[in-house]
Amino acid sequence: MTTALIPWRSYQEDIAGDVCPLTGTGSYAPKHNPMVFFDDVTDARSATSAYCIQHVRPYAELARDLDADDVAAYNFITPNLCDDMHDSCGGDSIAHGDAWLAREVPTIMASKAYKDGGALFIVWDENEGTPGGAIGLIAMSPFVKAGYANSISYTHSSLLRSVQDVFALQPYMRNAVDANGLNDLFTRFP
């Protein structure tokens, strides 16, 4: 995205915003923030990387940026380990994650960025341990086909392929080359 001059940000829950978050803190887990694994983002894994600090921001800033219509073209959002349904954090992890989504998704959907053709993808990174089992993805957009169903096989690489299609980023990365894109889910897709 950087080389293609596409504005981007990564909003991460539980980071301070004054360092490049290369290590875990609180319930923040870098393993769920792919941006910190790119040397060109982190200046070769430097916690003081100004570029990383500029682009990897605390999740608490997202609502303000949405309200000011100052979000990037591509935004990667990660809840902390309590809010992402990984850990119970003292209760039912699924109910806790559902409550987080119920609070946060309406803010995104009410934003100008979303209403003007944005898309929100809620993606789980694993299933319940069943080999080859389904992994959840919810696609939300003013252009999504409501109630649509099909028999097309999708993978995590399908989302990657679709993001590359939206931003005209070629060549396709890794398994996105052979993945089915998600464009069939939308009434209008770039």
Side-chain angles (χ1 to χ4, degrees):
M1 298 240 174
T2 302
T3 304
L5 302 177
I6 297 167
W8 67 273
R9 281 195 199 108
S10 175
Y11 292 96
Q12 301 291 311
E13 194 172 32
D14 282 358
I15 67 168
D18 57 353
V19 297
C20 180
L22 302 172
T23 58
T25 179
S27 293
Y28 163 75
K31 67 182 180 180
H32 293 144
N33 180 10
M35 284 52 172
V36 298
F37 295 95
F38 291 96
D39 284 345
D40 61 337
V41 171
T42 65
D43 296 322
R45 309 246 334 127
S46 169
T48 60
S49 166
Y51 187 80
C52 177
I53 295 166
Q54 177 187 5
H55 288 86
V56 180
R57 303 303 308 150
Y59 177 75
E61 294 179 5
L62 177 62
R64 178 200 69 202
D65 292 349
L66 286 169
D67 190 50
D69 196 27
D70 186 30
V71 291
Y74 178 80
N75 299 280
F76 190 92
I77 300 167
T78 309
N80 66 30
L81 291 173
C82 293
D83 292 332
D84 74 356
M85 301 182 190
H86 268 274
D87 297 329
S88 65
C89 296
D92 178 342
S93 62
I94 294 173
H96 193 88
D98 284 347
W100 188 88
L101 287 169
R103 279 190 319 271
E104 304 302 323
V105 168
T107 300
I108 295 168
M109 292 180 70
S111 72
K112 183 177 183 323
Y114 178 83
K115 290 178 180 178
D116 286 351
L120 174 63
F121 295 97
I122 301 171
V123 185
W124 283 258
D125 65 346
E126 57 199 45
N127 62 25
E128 293 183 2
T130 307
I135 298 172
L137 176 137
I138 299 170
M140 301 167 71
S141 168
F143 301 111
V144 79
K145 294 176 184 174
Y148 177 75
N150 66 40
S151 60
I152 298 171
S153 177
Y154 299 112
T155 66
H156 277 108
S157 296
S158 298
L159 180 57
L160 173 59
R161 181 183 183 104
S162 297
V163 169
Q164 286 193 248
D165 286 343
V166 166
F167 294 107
L169 300 171
Q170 300 296 322
Y172 290 120
M173 295 172 58
R174 304 200 55 153
N175 293 338
V177 169
D178 298 315
N180 292 313
L182 301 174
N183 49 325
D184 198 54
L185 303 176
F186 296 86
T187 58
R188 187 180 79 166
F189 194 86

